[in-house]
Every structure is written in structure tokens, then in C-alpha cells.
């Protein structure tokens, strides 16, 4: 789906069941245009792209354009029951994707149930015509989509998980460009191979499309240079490994400057919580130099951090910096109008008398919350209710600016079990148009402390600070980076730690914010911002399209 002429373009996305074979077995999966991963959409900065989504599958579907701000156009943002009701089987919806200041690699994915396990692809946004990258022009560009594969039907995995109240079944393999790699059964012939020429430079456009974990990534004997993340350029960061959160995109340069050989590309999951099950294996691809030579046997393997190395994860993420050049300036809010403090917790809800649950010694169901509110997904659209002024029965506007429960959030043990019980509700936070916001995410150790990759729809934000332990404003705010903080839409809040972000609420509409671990958002770790209209006509939400899917 190449649309990179500049201006506007249109493409079709046919959602359909397609048979794919992995790990010695064939099964039917939901795809777009029969492809797994799905097709890459390529456009230019500032373009408008219309995607005609036609649902020929067997399940409801929505599509989200992850990282695209969609100015004044939340109608096409995609999260199910937040901005739209799903496209039912046999239905269609023409989604208008409005690009603004994004430049680099983003992605698109399903935003209904767990369909994004197979329904995803890259969204490449090139510089405007007449401009170029703020780094050396690469000789070639290579997609690198990290993902997961379940042998079971993903809908069944989700339904069993929600019914049990416990953790979901872990995936059976990790993948690079849809292929597990030759360390898994029946997978050697399909292993992704990247052919390179000595001395050339390659731009890797990477996304972590995995469902429930951060990932480590590396290429044997080669260093990697980060030049962008989440559709914004960064200062060059040279590293031997990458940490990438689910939902995050990273642009990487690597130079084919090693002796002619074949080198493993590898990715594995990061998991800092011993009580959490995860797929502890490695997916591989192969860098294959051109020329005549006898390759090493076995192939050279990259050295990645240990799966539980939280310092390696944190140190990489906290090293990212905005490019902040004259051609690519940044605008960090320095004066703050609204200050928010949100706790991120895993919770437990006691089982009903007639239930069998798998959490907390079979006594409870897992839940998750922001400020102790477990988000109750409505059965109709929050956006449509807001736009029509009929919020009653759909959502309330009483989401707290600060935690209703105050305690030692990251205490190692001994937290009172009563703190685990959340309030269940559909509450939103109202933001005035153009107000500047500081939001501190605070991870807690309730039930089990884990990382939380938090994603905000409709806005990018500046990550001005982060650390382990409890946030303390008098100590931590003076150390904020207000000079060149990274401009992100998804940021991994560290396990039992905090992250501070700043953004300007300049995009009127209804915008979902949630953890990008699929199990956590299914448990309720989400909330909604409603950004009020401004006074000018071009500061108001656009009217809804005529073909919005019915509720």
C-alpha cells in the first residue's frame, strides 16, 4: 500500500480469515489482505490517507493507527467502544487518517478483543517531498516486526483467560516478520533472511507488536544506532541491544561492516516479575552478507541482556533523547496548568460464591487499574455519547487527579490486602483545550509489580523523567530533562518505578490511554481523556463520518 506521492491517497484493507502454517501446524488466522504481518502503508508527513476497511472475517474488528494524532478526528482513531463501535462481519468503514507532524515509523493494528495478535502492520511516514532524513541516507530500508504466535485460536485464548480470572496462556513462539526462526520446530525454511552488501547502511523500521512483554533485540557482532522512535527523530544512540515496549516503534541504523558471514538477529522477552509466566525462548532472523564464503557453523549469536535484567531495560529507554534540532524543534511545556498523578496497579477481585477463579490461590480474579479504577468498557461509543451530549449511562467525568488510596506504593512486601480491591467504573478526565499537562505514572507493587507500557491516543508526550521507587516531587522534579526529552506515544513505566510526561491538550476529542500489555488492558488498566473544544472553528472536533459503524 504505497501512497508516498505527497498529498492524499486511498487504499483497501480486507479483513479476512487466512490459513497459515507455523510450528508444524496450520490454522486459520485473521489477516488484512491475506497477509501476516499485514501490508505496510507508506505516506509522507502531512498526508491524508483514506483506508477502506472491509470486514470479511468472522469477528468484530476495529483498526487503530498507532501514533497518528488524528487532529480533530477521533472518529477514525479506532479503539473499540471508546471512539467507535466495531465493524461487524460483512460491514465496512472508510477511515480517514490525518497525518500531522509525525515522521518516521509508526504502525497500525486491530483494537478490538485480542485480534491485534495477527492484525498489524507498519505505517511508514516519509519526510515531505524536497526534504530528507536528518541522518545519512540509508542504502536500503528493512521492516522488522516483532510479534508472537499462538497455536490455539487467539479468540479462544482470550475467552479462556477472561473466564478463568488468571493469567493468559503464553504464546508458543516469538516471531520476526511473522516467522519464529530456526530455533523452533518446523521453522528453519521460513526464517527471515536479510541480505546485505559489505559497506552499506540499512535502516531498520521496527515495532514490538507482541502482546504482553517488552523485548530485547540485537544483531550479532553489529552495533545499532537509534535515530527515531514513535514517529519522531532522536539524537543518535549507539547500543549493542535494544529494549522495545509493546506498541513502541524504533528506527535503527546498522552498517554492514563485519567480515562476510551469516549473523543471527535475535529477540527475546524481558520479564522482571518472577510470578509472571512468559515465553522464555528466542526468535531469530539472519543477516546474510553477499559474496562467496563459507558461513560459520553454528551461526554467531548476539549477546542480549538476561530476561529479568530490569536495569538493562530501564537504562536503554532512559537514554533516548529528542533530536531537538533547528529543522526538527521540540516544544516542551514549561508552565503546567494541570498536574496529574496516576497509580498503575495489578488488583484482585474476590470470586463470586459460584465461581472458580485462578488468581491468588484460586480465591480471586486478576484486575488492573489506574488510580484504583478498573476501566469498565461500555457497550456503546464514549465519543458518540460525548459528541451528542448524552453521557448518562455511558461514562462519568469523575476520574481522580490523584490516587484515592495513598500508601507506600513500591513496598516490597506486607501491603494490606484490602488495597488490592479496585473500584470498577467508566470514568473520564476532562481537559481544557490547550491546557498543558504533567502526568506522573507511579507503578505499585500491589499483587505483583511489573512494567507498564502506557500509550496515549491523540497526542505525543515528552518523557521528562523516570526512576525506580516512589516518586517524590521535591527530589525528582528538579532533575527533569526539559531540554531534549524524547517525544513518544508509548513509554514503559519501570517495574515499581515512575515516569513523568508532559503534553499540551491541543487535540479536541475523546482519547483512550491504556497499558499496551494486552492482559492488563483486558483487566481494566485504561482510562479516557476528553479534550474540550477550543473557541476557534478549527479547534473543534470534526463532524462524524456518514458511515460510522452502528452500535
Amino acid at each position: 500500500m504505497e501512497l508516498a506521492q505527497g498529498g492524499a491517497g486511498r487504499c483497501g484493507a480486507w479483513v479476512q480469515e487466512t490459513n497459515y502454517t507455523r510450528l508444524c501446524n496450520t490454522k486459520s488466522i485473521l489477516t488484512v489482505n491475506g497477509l501476516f504481518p499485514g501490508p505496510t502503508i507508506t505516506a509522507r508527513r502531512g498526508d491524508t490517507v483514506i483506508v477502506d476497511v472491509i470486514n470479511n472475517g468472522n469477528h468484530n474488528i476495529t483498526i487503530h493507527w498507532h501514533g497518528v494524532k488524528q487532529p480533530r478526528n477521533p472518529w477514525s482513531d479506532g479503539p473499540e467502544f471508546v471512539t467507535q463501535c466495531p465493524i461487524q462481519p460483512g460491514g465496512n468503514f472508510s477511515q480517514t487518517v490525518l497525518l500531522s507532524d509525525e515522521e518516521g515509523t509508526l504502525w497500525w493494528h486491530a483494537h478490538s478483543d485480542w485480534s491485534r495478535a495477527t492484525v498489524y502492520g507498519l505505517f511508514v511516514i516519509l519526510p515531505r517531498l524536497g526534504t530528507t532524513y536528518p541522518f545519512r541516507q540509508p542504502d536500503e530500508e528493512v521492516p522488522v516486526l516483532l510479534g508472537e504466535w499462538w497455536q490455539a485460536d487467539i479468540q479462544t485464548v482470550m475467552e479462556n483467560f477472561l473466564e478463568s480470572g488468571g493469567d493468559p496462556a503464553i504464546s508458543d513462539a516469538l516471531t520476526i516478520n511473522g516467522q519464529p526462526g530456526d530455533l523452533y520446530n518446523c521453522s528453519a525454511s521460513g526464517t527471515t533472511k536479510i541480505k546485505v552488501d559489505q559497506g552499506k547502511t540499512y535502516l531498520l523500521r521496527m515495532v514490538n507488536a507482541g502482546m504482553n512483554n517488552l523485548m530485547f533485540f540485537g544483531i550479532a557482532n553489529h552495533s545499532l544506532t537509534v535515530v527515531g522512535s514513535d514517529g519522531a527523530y532522536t539524537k543518535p544512540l549507539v547500543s549493542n541491544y535494544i529494549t522495545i515496549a509493546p506498541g513502541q516503534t524504533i528506527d535503527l541504523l546498522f552498517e554492514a561492516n563485519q567480515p562476510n558471514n551469516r549473523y543471527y538477529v535475535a529477540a527475546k522477552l524481558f520479564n522482571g516479575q518472577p510470578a509472571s509466566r512468559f515465553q522464555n525462548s528466542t526468535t531469530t532472523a539472519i543477516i546474510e552478507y553477499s559474496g562467496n564464503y563459507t558461513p560459520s557453523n553454528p551461526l554467531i549469536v548476539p549477546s542480549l541482556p538476561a530476561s529479568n535484567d530490569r536495569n538493562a531495560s530501564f537504562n536503554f529507554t532512559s537514554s533516548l533523547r529528542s533530536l531537538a534540532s533547528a529543522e526538527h524543534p521540540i516544544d516542551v511545556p514549561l508552565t503546567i496548568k494541570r498536574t496529574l498523578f496516576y497509580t498503575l496497579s495489578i488488583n484482585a477481585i474476590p470470586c463470586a460464591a459460584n465461581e472458580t477463579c485462578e488468581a491468588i490461590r484460586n480465591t480471586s480474579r486478576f484486575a488492573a487499574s489506574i488510580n484504583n479504577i478498573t476501566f469498565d468498557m461500555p457497550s456503546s461509543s464514549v465519543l458518540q455519547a460525548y459528541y451528542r451530549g448524552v453521557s448518562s449511562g455511558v461514562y462519568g467525568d469523575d476520574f481522580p487527579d490523584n490516587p484515592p488510596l495513598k500508601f507506600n506504593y513500591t513496598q516490597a512486601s506486607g501491603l494490606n490486602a484490602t488495597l488490592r480491591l479496585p473500584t470498577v467504573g467508566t470514568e473520564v478526565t476532562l481537559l481544557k483545550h490547550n491546557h498543558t499537562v504533567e502526568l506522573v505514572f507511579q507503578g505499585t507493587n500491589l499483587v505483583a509489580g511489573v512494567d507498564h507500557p502506557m500509550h496515549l491516543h491523540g497526542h505525543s508526550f515528552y518523557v521528562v523523567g523516570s526512576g525506580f521507587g516512589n516518586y517524590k516531587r521535591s527530589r525528582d522534579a528538579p532533575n527533569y530533562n526539559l531540554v531534549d526529552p524524547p517525544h513518544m506515544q508509548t513509554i514503559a513505566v519501570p517495574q515499581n518505578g515512575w515516569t513523568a510526561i508532559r503534553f499540551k491538550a491541543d487535540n479536541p476529542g475523546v482519547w483512550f490511554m491504556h497499558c499496551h500489555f494486552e492482559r492488563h488492558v483486558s483487566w481494566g488498566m485504561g482510562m479516557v481523556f476528553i479534550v474540550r473544544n477550543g473557541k476557534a472553528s478549527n479547534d473543534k472536533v470534526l463532524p462524524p463520518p456518514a458511515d460510522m459503524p452502528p452500535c
Side-chain angles (χ1 to χ4, degrees), residues 20 30 48 112 121 134 296 312 339 365 371 382 395 410 460:
Y20 271 80
L30 205 59
T48 295
S112 49
S296 300
T339 301
R365 306 179 67 83
N371 272 358
V382 174
Y395 69 88
T410 58
S460 290

PDB file of all heavy atoms in Angstrom, residues 20 30 48 112 121 134 296 312 339 365 371 382 395 410 460:
ATOM      1  N   TYR A  20      -2.524 -20.135   7.794  1.00  0.00           N
ATOM      2  CA  TYR A  20      -1.076 -20.006   7.907  1.00  0.00           C
ATOM      3  C   TYR A  20      -0.532 -21.197   8.670  1.00  0.00           C
ATOM      4  O   TYR A  20      -1.181 -21.710   9.591  1.00  0.00           O
ATOM      5  CB  TYR A  20      -0.686 -18.703   8.614  1.00  0.00           C
ATOM      6  CG  TYR A  20      -0.518 -17.538   7.664  1.00  0.00           C
ATOM      7  CD1 TYR A  20      -1.619 -16.845   7.182  1.00  0.00           C
ATOM      8  CD2 TYR A  20       0.746 -17.162   7.214  1.00  0.00           C
ATOM      9  CE1 TYR A  20      -1.467 -15.789   6.291  1.00  0.00           C
ATOM     10  CE2 TYR A  20       0.901 -16.110   6.329  1.00  0.00           C
ATOM     11  CZ  TYR A  20      -0.207 -15.432   5.864  1.00  0.00           C
ATOM     12  OH  TYR A  20      -0.043 -14.394   4.975  1.00  0.00           O
ATOM     13  N   LEU A  30      -6.929 -14.309  11.542  1.00  0.00           N
ATOM     14  CA  LEU A  30      -7.475 -13.081  10.982  1.00  0.00           C
ATOM     15  C   LEU A  30      -6.328 -12.264  10.394  1.00  0.00           C
ATOM     16  O   LEU A  30      -5.300 -12.054  11.058  1.00  0.00           O
ATOM     17  CB  LEU A  30      -8.203 -12.292  12.069  1.00  0.00           C
ATOM     18  CG  LEU A  30      -9.306 -11.320  11.628  1.00  0.00           C
ATOM     19  CD1 LEU A  30     -10.410 -12.046  10.865  1.00  0.00           C
ATOM     20  CD2 LEU A  30      -9.885 -10.608  12.849  1.00  0.00           C
ATOM     21  N   THR A  48      -2.979  12.903   3.931  1.00  0.00           N
ATOM     22  CA  THR A  48      -4.236  12.296   4.361  1.00  0.00           C
ATOM     23  C   THR A  48      -4.373  10.957   3.651  1.00  0.00           C
ATOM     24  O   THR A  48      -4.225  10.880   2.421  1.00  0.00           O
ATOM     25  CB  THR A  48      -5.437  13.184   4.012  1.00  0.00           C
ATOM     26  OG1 THR A  48      -5.348  14.404   4.760  1.00  0.00           O
ATOM     27  CG2 THR A  48      -6.751  12.491   4.353  1.00  0.00           C
ATOM     28  N   SER A 112      -9.592  -4.337  18.927  1.00  0.00           N
ATOM     29  CA  SER A 112     -10.795  -4.994  19.419  1.00  0.00           C
ATOM     30  C   SER A 112     -10.422  -6.406  19.868  1.00  0.00           C
ATOM     31  O   SER A 112      -9.691  -7.112  19.159  1.00  0.00           O
ATOM     32  CB  SER A 112     -11.866  -5.054  18.328  1.00  0.00           C
ATOM     33  OG  SER A 112     -11.328  -5.557  17.110  1.00  0.00           O
ATOM     34  N   GLY A 121       0.502  -4.102  11.046  1.00  0.00           N
ATOM     35  CA  GLY A 121       1.490  -3.823  10.011  1.00  0.00           C
ATOM     36  C   GLY A 121       2.135  -2.473  10.255  1.00  0.00           C
ATOM     37  O   GLY A 121       1.707  -1.699  11.119  1.00  0.00           O
ATOM     38  N   PRO A 134      17.283  13.409   8.751  1.00  0.00           N
ATOM     39  CA  PRO A 134      18.349  14.162   9.426  1.00  0.00           C
ATOM     40  C   PRO A 134      19.537  13.261   9.795  1.00  0.00           C
ATOM     41  O   PRO A 134      20.232  13.511  10.771  1.00  0.00           O
ATOM     42  CB  PRO A 134      17.643  14.685  10.680  1.00  0.00           C
ATOM     43  CG  PRO A 134      16.644  13.637  11.000  1.00  0.00           C
ATOM     44  CD  PRO A 134      16.167  13.098   9.678  1.00  0.00           C
ATOM     45  N   SER A 296      29.918 -19.379   9.091  1.00  0.00           N
ATOM     46  CA  SER A 296      30.196 -20.038  10.370  1.00  0.00           C
ATOM     47  C   SER A 296      29.107 -21.064  10.668  1.00  0.00           C
ATOM     48  O   SER A 296      27.939 -20.894  10.307  1.00  0.00           O
ATOM     49  CB  SER A 296      30.235 -19.012  11.505  1.00  0.00           C
ATOM     50  OG  SER A 296      31.227 -18.050  11.281  1.00  0.00           O
ATOM     51  N   ALA A 312      18.986  -3.194  32.507  1.00  0.00           N
ATOM     52  CA  ALA A 312      19.268  -3.085  31.071  1.00  0.00           C
ATOM     53  C   ALA A 312      18.070  -2.490  30.336  1.00  0.00           C
ATOM     54  O   ALA A 312      18.230  -1.653  29.441  1.00  0.00           O
ATOM     55  CB  ALA A 312      19.617  -4.456  30.503  1.00  0.00           C
ATOM     56  N   THR A 339      -1.878  19.227  36.791  1.00  0.00           N
ATOM     57  CA  THR A 339      -0.936  18.230  37.295  1.00  0.00           C
ATOM     58  C   THR A 339      -1.707  16.993  37.729  1.00  0.00           C
ATOM     59  O   THR A 339      -2.639  17.075  38.532  1.00  0.00           O
ATOM     60  CB  THR A 339      -0.127  18.791  38.476  1.00  0.00           C
ATOM     61  OG1 THR A 339       0.584  19.966  38.054  1.00  0.00           O
ATOM     62  CG2 THR A 339       0.880  17.768  38.971  1.00  0.00           C
ATOM     63  N   ARG A 365     -10.104 -13.006  41.073  1.00  0.00           N
ATOM     64  CA  ARG A 365      -9.853 -12.726  39.665  1.00  0.00           C
ATOM     65  C   ARG A 365      -8.873 -11.557  39.581  1.00  0.00           C
ATOM     66  O   ARG A 365      -9.015 -10.582  40.311  1.00  0.00           O
ATOM     67  CB  ARG A 365     -11.150 -12.336  38.946  1.00  0.00           C
ATOM     68  CG  ARG A 365     -12.291 -13.308  39.087  1.00  0.00           C
ATOM     69  CD  ARG A 365     -13.527 -12.802  38.355  1.00  0.00           C
ATOM     70  NE  ARG A 365     -13.303 -12.791  36.921  1.00  0.00           N
ATOM     71  CZ  ARG A 365     -13.452 -13.868  36.130  1.00  0.00           C
ATOM     72  NH1 ARG A 365     -13.852 -15.015  36.656  1.00  0.00           N
ATOM     73  NH2 ARG A 365     -13.226 -13.788  34.848  1.00  0.00           N
ATOM     74  N   ASN A 371      -5.259   4.686  39.186  1.00  0.00           N
ATOM     75  CA  ASN A 371      -5.838   5.368  40.355  1.00  0.00           C
ATOM     76  C   ASN A 371      -6.976   4.556  40.974  1.00  0.00           C
ATOM     77  O   ASN A 371      -8.024   5.095  41.356  1.00  0.00           O
ATOM     78  CB  ASN A 371      -6.294   6.783  39.993  1.00  0.00           C
ATOM     79  CG  ASN A 371      -5.162   7.786  40.162  1.00  0.00           C
ATOM     80  OD1 ASN A 371      -4.053   7.439  40.572  1.00  0.00           O
ATOM     81  ND2 ASN A 371      -5.431   9.046  39.845  1.00  0.00           N
ATOM     82  N   VAL A 382     -18.025   6.021  23.678  1.00  0.00           N
ATOM     83  CA  VAL A 382     -17.851   7.202  24.534  1.00  0.00           C
ATOM     84  C   VAL A 382     -17.852   8.462  23.683  1.00  0.00           C
ATOM     85  O   VAL A 382     -18.468   9.475  24.039  1.00  0.00           O
ATOM     86  CB  VAL A 382     -16.544   7.091  25.347  1.00  0.00           C
ATOM     87  CG1 VAL A 382     -16.288   8.374  26.132  1.00  0.00           C
ATOM     88  CG2 VAL A 382     -16.590   5.894  26.292  1.00  0.00           C
ATOM     89  N   TYR A 395     -20.706   7.046  30.476  1.00  0.00           N
ATOM     90  CA  TYR A 395     -19.492   7.354  31.220  1.00  0.00           C
ATOM     91  C   TYR A 395     -19.787   8.453  32.234  1.00  0.00           C
ATOM     92  O   TYR A 395     -20.758   9.201  32.129  1.00  0.00           O
ATOM     93  CB  TYR A 395     -18.359   7.786  30.278  1.00  0.00           C
ATOM     94  CG  TYR A 395     -18.564   9.131  29.612  1.00  0.00           C
ATOM     95  CD1 TYR A 395     -18.145  10.312  30.227  1.00  0.00           C
ATOM     96  CD2 TYR A 395     -19.163   9.216  28.360  1.00  0.00           C
ATOM     97  CE1 TYR A 395     -18.334  11.542  29.621  1.00  0.00           C
ATOM     98  CE2 TYR A 395     -19.350  10.453  27.738  1.00  0.00           C
ATOM     99  CZ  TYR A 395     -18.935  11.606  28.374  1.00  0.00           C
ATOM    100  OH  TYR A 395     -19.109  12.831  27.770  1.00  0.00           O
ATOM    101  N   THR A 410       5.563   1.170  46.424  1.00  0.00           N
ATOM    102  CA  THR A 410       6.504   0.155  45.950  1.00  0.00           C
ATOM    103  C   THR A 410       7.084  -0.679  47.094  1.00  0.00           C
ATOM    104  O   THR A 410       8.135  -1.303  46.944  1.00  0.00           O
ATOM    105  CB  THR A 410       7.655   0.821  45.155  1.00  0.00           C
ATOM    106  OG1 THR A 410       8.318   1.779  45.986  1.00  0.00           O
ATOM    107  CG2 THR A 410       7.107   1.520  43.921  1.00  0.00           C
ATOM    108  N   SER A 460       1.231  13.100  21.281  1.00  0.00           N
ATOM    109  CA  SER A 460       2.553  12.675  21.715  1.00  0.00           C
ATOM    110  C   SER A 460       2.871  13.411  23.020  1.00  0.00           C
ATOM    111  O   SER A 460       2.269  14.443  23.319  1.00  0.00           O
ATOM    112  CB  SER A 460       3.621  13.003  20.666  1.00  0.00           C
ATOM    113  OG  SER A 460       3.474  12.188  19.527  1.00  0.00           O
TER     114      SER A 460
END
